[in-house]
Amino acid sequence: MSHRSPHPTSSPSSNWRWPSRISGLPYGGDYNPEQWPEATREEDIELMTGAGVNLVSVGIFSWAMLEPREGEYDWGWLDETMDRLAAAGISAALATATASPPPWLTHRYPEILPQTADGTVLWPGARQAYSVANPVFREYALRMTRAVAQRYADHPALALWHVDNELGCHNGHDYSDDAAAAFRTWLARRYGTAEALNAAWGTAFWSQRYSSFEEILPPRTAPMFVNPTQQLDFHRYSSDELLDYYRQMKNILREATPQIPVTTNFMCTTRSKNMDYFAWAEEMDVIATDHYTVAEDPDRHIELAFSADLTRGVARGRPWMLMEHSTSAVNWQPRNHTKSPAEMLRDSLGHVARGADAVMFFQWRQSASGAEKYHSAMVPHAGPDTDVYRTAVRLGEALRQLRPVQGSQVQSEVALLFDYEAWWGAELDSHPTNELSYPEEVLHFYRSLWKAGVTTDVVHPSHDLSGYRAVIVPVLYLVRQKDAERIAQAAENGAQVLVSFFSGIVDENDAVHLGGYPGAFRRMLGIRTEEFWPLQRGEQLLLDDGGRADLWSEKVHCADSGAGAAEVLARFAELRMADGSSQMPPSLAPTGQFPLEGSPAITRNTVGKGAAWYAATRLDEPSLDALVRQVLIEAGVPPVHQDAPEGVDVVRRRHPDGASYLFVLNHTPQPVTLKASGSELLSGTRVTGRLEVASGEVAVVEER
Ligand code: GAL
């Protein structure tokens, strides 16, 4: 039986290559000249030059324009665009044009359309209506890729290949018959025999035993819960299948232009669950990501910081490209928020602070027609005499001033472990509670770290943890044995490891580590959980140290299973209704007795030179803030800047030769003054001991 790990080594891929034809930090956006007449296209180049744009993503959705009829190509407008860009010294991230198949293709071959779990066909008329498992689609998409590659291989504007667009964004899970066949092939490669698959999937349950791979289907809509390991493997297969499609396109591009880097735009955010970007990263020359803040989230700057830290983790610490974000409103949220110029600059420079060496937008010019006409752009409907365009010009200047920062790396002593497989596993159905959201729990911990003023690397459990003083492990539900050992080793070597509830529960097949939860971490934590005790909505736990919690509790025993027994830091004291009413919590009915009263809620176990902490419940924000600060103190991790009050985000980037850059983003309503010396790059002024940053503003000090 071969269990291929998508994360075969803890060392980064050696493919990494920056699009070095572009001088300075790449700056620009998606450019769709095919939507505009000649006069506008001429003005575009003028305005791009005015804003300091040096890179645009071209041709992403242009298949039907480039190949209007099967086999007939119309390169005119793209030739002209590429020539104009080159003449203006602007580079192109040239797309394979495959992100939306042309109507003639889906009309002739409707079998290329993807299907949902209940068999609904995703029809054309929007975008990304294709199944990568369909051989006809693959053939046509690869042919288009080859045609673009051959035509522009030697073009001086070409700096980077942009494969498709946000692969899997709308068609990440396809349940069609082609997908079923590809899933079977994937399973046969993973398991070798039906017996091995039966063992991994636990098919002794509910008469699910398979006698051959032919009998297996994707987890389509069924009368009851579908086998969880089948669902988990379908997540893995779906991510791998899309990656395989990318790989085929990359190989074509690589062959045509060995010197030009190839990438695709990831969606490294808390909203994109389908692709395992840590595994995908191995196939990229440079990591690129898209990020959109969510207007209704008052903490959207913290979610942005998390997404940027996750992107840097996927990039193994190396500089990465922000391939898309928005100058102002987006069109796809229920109520779309107009950004102030200051918010636009903060968002952009917030990414740079966390390792982005490129800032790009969707899109250059706001479309007059189509589903995205109310999505902001660098040139809005109202034209260049607008705050939006003027801010784009300011940002272009800022990025020129930040040029010395290029290539420097972010410093961090704290790792937060993030794993797409743990996400897939933790949110399967028929669990102790269906109210647990993996990204929410991860963000809950991240927010406390952010508020404590430390910089966090968001990394995969298979990555090297050796340089970290603190390792945070939120809801790592599924964990491989060797990763659990590496985490325990980090504690042995001196790290403070903080583990949350519902971590270390199952192996890679979603089979429970027996003998008491959390099986994979029991020894390190010095505890043994007898039973989970999830709460009902509206219930709240009080802890004997004054802490509060909800969602989850469990019956924990401090137990020595080889590395000592944990000490108890806080115990469950009371269960009541969160609204303060005297109503008996449903969990305590009918007697009112709370069986967990007095049992451990937060524990700590000394492990070698470090320690392993456990939170057996979901602490509320102040309680988690306090616990995280305690862990950071024990780990000896101070905030990046001692003077920075909560809400002032301070991040340091450093070149290997020693030059360092202090980014200060003031997200508070007050001005802030911090100790700093050097030169402030955005204003070009000297800083001698005191740096003042106004509310909502950003400063970047080259430290001396
Ligand atoms: C991205 C996509 C872009 C555009 C943008 C709008 O998901 O790659 O093409 O649709 O969203 O926010």
Side-chain angles (χ1 to χ4, degrees):
M1 173 182 359
S2 86
H3 281 285
R4 245 177 359 116
S5 165
H7 311 284
T9 62
S10 63
S11 52
S13 105
S14 51
N15 294 335
W16 192 79
R17 279 190 290 164
W18 189 254
S20 49
R21 279 193 177 176
I22 309 157
S23 74
L25 297 164
Y27 176 50
D30 282 21
Y31 182 37
N32 299 304
E34 66 272 34
Q35 296 173 12
W36 298 99
E38 168 69 16
T40 314
R41 299 206 295 256
E42 273 171 22
E43 189 198 45
D44 282 338
I45 300 291
E46 221 174 278
L47 295 178
M48 283 178 192
T49 308
V53 164
N54 57 10
L55 179 69
V56 288
S57 304
V58 195
I60 294 176
F61 297 103
S62 61
W63 191 345
M65 299 293 281
L66 290 175
E67 192 182 3
R69 276 164 296 280
E70 182 168 355
E72 276 178 39
Y73 296 97
D74 175 8
W75 301 109
W77 64 270
L78 188 53
D79 287 355
E80 179 212 280
T81 301
M82 292 292 280
D83 293 350
R84 273 204 181 131
L85 291 171
I90 301 168
S91 294
L94 185 58
T96 52
T98 47
S100 200
W104 58 257
L105 183 60
T106 34
H107 180 71
R108 182 163 169 202
Y109 300 105
E111 66 270 29
I112 74 169
L113 298 171
Q115 288 179 24
T116 61
D118 65 358
T120 301
V121 174
L122 298 177
W123 295 100
R127 64 176 179 188
Q128 228 175 49
Y130 62 75
S131 158
V132 288
N134 177 270
V136 174
F137 174 72
R138 284 254 189 149
E139 190 190 316
Y140 277 87
L142 296 181
R143 204 177 73 179
M144 188 62 206
T145 302
R146 216 170 278 120
V148 175
Q150 280 163 4
R151 181 132 195 121
Y152 298 104
D154 300 320
H155 200 286
L158 176 66
L160 176 67
W161 287 114
H162 183 296
V163 170
D164 209 280
N165 191 61
E166 289 188 344
L167 286 163
C169 179
H170 313 295
N171 59 357
H173 282 186
D174 165 35
Y175 298 77
S176 65
D177 286 346
D178 290 319
F183 184 38
R184 282 180 211 116
T185 306
W186 184 93
L187 289 169
R189 216 176 304 128
R190 181 176 174 88
Y191 294 110
T193 62
E195 286 69 45
L197 177 138
N198 282 313
W201 285 18
T203 57
F205 182 81
W206 278 355
S207 181
Q208 290 170 354
R209 187 169 202 295
Y210 294 99
S211 58
S212 87
F213 286 101
E214 286 313 297
E215 297 158 4
I216 301 173
L217 290 168
R220 290 178 177 160
T221 307
M224 230 287 187
F225 302 122
V226 175
N227 181 303
T229 320
Q230 180 180 0
Q231 296 189 55
L232 187 59
D233 272 346
F234 190 67
H235 271 287
R236 292 181 174 126
Y237 147 77
S238 300
S239 177
D240 282 0
E241 186 71 9
L242 282 156
L243 179 59
D244 184 64
Y245 169 63
Y246 169 86
R247 202 182 288 115
Q248 280 190 311
M249 300 175 100
K250 180 183 88 174
N251 291 344
I252 289 170
L253 300 167
R254 174 78 83 239
E255 204 182 309
T257 54
Q259 75 289 4
I260 302 290
V262 184
T263 193
T264 187
N265 44 348
F266 288 0
M267 297 167 283
C268 290
T269 76
T270 49
R271 293 182 302 282
S272 179
K273 178 177 174 182
N274 289 345
M275 279 65 63
D276 180 350
Y277 288 131
F278 285 106
W280 282 46
E282 300 291 313
E283 297 287 339
M284 304 294 138
D285 291 336
V286 56
I287 299 301
T289 195
D290 298 347
H291 184 266
Y292 292 91
T293 51
V294 167
E296 66 193 1
D297 178 6
D299 283 344
R300 53 187 178 269
H301 53 293
I302 305 180
E303 194 279 333
L304 181 152
F306 171 82
S307 299
D309 287 339
L310 168 62
T311 310
R312 189 178 68 254
V314 165
R316 303 278 192 153
R318 294 170 300 208
W320 48 275
M321 302 182 75
L322 177 64
M323 196 56 112
E324 284 180 25
H325 72 148
S326 73
T327 58
S328 188
V330 299
N331 63 300
W332 45 265
Q333 293 169 26
R335 287 160 297 272
N336 293 295
H337 160 80
T338 304
K339 286 187 191 176
S340 66
E343 183 170 358
M344 193 274 231
L345 291 170
R346 267 197 323 273
D347 283 1
S348 301
L349 300 179
H351 286 288
V352 177
R354 294 185 144 76
D357 269 1
V359 176
M360 309 277 291
F361 291 96
F362 178 83
Q363 62 175 328
W364 162 250
R365 189 184 277 277
Q366 188 168 9
S367 301
S369 308
E372 294 186 318
K373 57 181 169 297
Y374 298 116
H375 194 292
S376 59
M378 297 169 82
V379 183
H381 286 156
D385 183 12
T386 47
D387 280 351
V388 169
Y389 179 70
R390 279 187 285 274
T391 310
V393 174
R394 260 184 78 194
L395 178 58
E397 278 161 22
L399 294 172
R400 277 196 299 282
Q401 280 140 356
L402 291 182
R403 191 161 176 182
V405 172
Q406 188 165 9
S408 61
Q409 301 208 348
V410 174
Q411 309 280 294
S412 162
E413 295 177 312
V414 181
L416 180 147
L417 303 190
F418 188 88
D419 185 357
Y420 289 92
E421 291 187 88
W423 186 351
W424 299 336
E427 292 184 358
L428 288 168
D429 43 34
S430 61
H431 270 195
T433 172
N434 64 8
E435 305 221 332
L436 183 138
S437 147
Y438 177 78
E440 264 176 38
E441 294 311 314
V442 168
L443 267 181
H444 191 36
F445 277 83
Y446 181 85
R447 202 176 291 115
S448 294
L449 293 162
W450 189 91
K451 289 199 280 178
V454 301
T455 303
T456 301
D457 282 350
V458 179
V459 301
H460 189 266
S462 67
H463 287 185
D464 180 12
L465 299 177
S466 52
Y468 296 110
R469 289 169 178 267
V471 178
I472 313 296
V473 189
V475 188
L476 197 66
Y477 167 72
L478 176 157
V479 69
R480 294 184 158 78
Q481 195 54 42
K482 63 179 186 319
D483 293 339
E485 283 161 16
R486 188 177 300 106
I487 295 164
Q489 194 57 49
E492 286 280 347
N493 296 345
Q496 302 293 315
V497 176
L498 170 59
V499 179
S500 88
F501 65 93
F502 217 40
S503 295
I505 305 299
V506 298
D507 66 12
E508 65 193 278
N509 295 325
D510 198 46
V512 172
H513 294 289
L514 299 176
Y517 313 119
F521 295 130
R522 220 165 41 218
R523 184 171 192 279
M524 170 181 81
L525 293 169
I527 58 160
R528 188 174 70 89
T529 288
E530 203 179 309
E531 239 180 334
F532 300 137
W533 219 82
L535 306 188
Q536 297 304 309
R537 217 178 269 179
E539 293 180 340
Q540 185 183 54
L541 286 158
L542 299 187
L543 273 51
D544 67 358
D545 66 349
R548 282 159 206 247
D550 66 5
L551 184 80
W552 190 275
S553 57
E554 54 188 52
K555 191 163 188 193
V556 177
H557 300 278
C558 293
D560 185 352
S561 42
E567 58 177 311
V568 179
L569 302 180
R571 294 177 187 276
F572 294 116
E574 191 186 332
L575 180 69
R576 62 176 195 189
M577 296 309 289
D579 62 7
S581 71
S582 56
Q583 185 202 327
M584 184 186 291
S587 296
L588 302 189
T591 62
Q593 279 163 14
F594 179 34
L596 295 190
E597 189 183 329
S599 85
I602 304 175
T603 63
R604 181 185 181 280
N605 192 28
T606 303
V607 182
K609 295 190 209 137
W613 307 58
Y614 186 61
T617 182
R618 179 169 74 183
L619 295 168
D620 73 357
E621 199 163 318
S623 314
L624 185 60
D625 289 350
L627 177 64
V628 164
R629 279 172 205 250
Q630 205 183 336
V631 168
L632 291 172
I633 288 169
E634 293 230 8
V637 181
V640 179
H641 202 299
Q642 296 287 358
D643 307 347
E646 193 176 299
V648 174
D649 188 16
V650 186
V651 185
R652 185 173 274 112
R653 290 183 62 165
R654 196 187 291 280
H655 279 298
D657 69 7
S660 70
Y661 306 90
L662 194 71
F663 283 74
V664 182
L665 295 102
N666 185 357
H667 296 284
T668 74
Q670 285 86 35
V672 64
T673 304
L674 306 177
K675 276 198 214 76
S677 289
S679 50
E680 202 290 306
L681 296 177
L682 301 173
S683 60
T685 54
R686 287 206 49 72
V687 180
T688 49
R690 276 162 51 94
L691 170 75
E692 182 159 321
V693 185
S695 165
E697 297 291 315
V698 182
V700 184
V701 178
E702 183 167 28
E703 296 176 302
R704 247 170 271 133

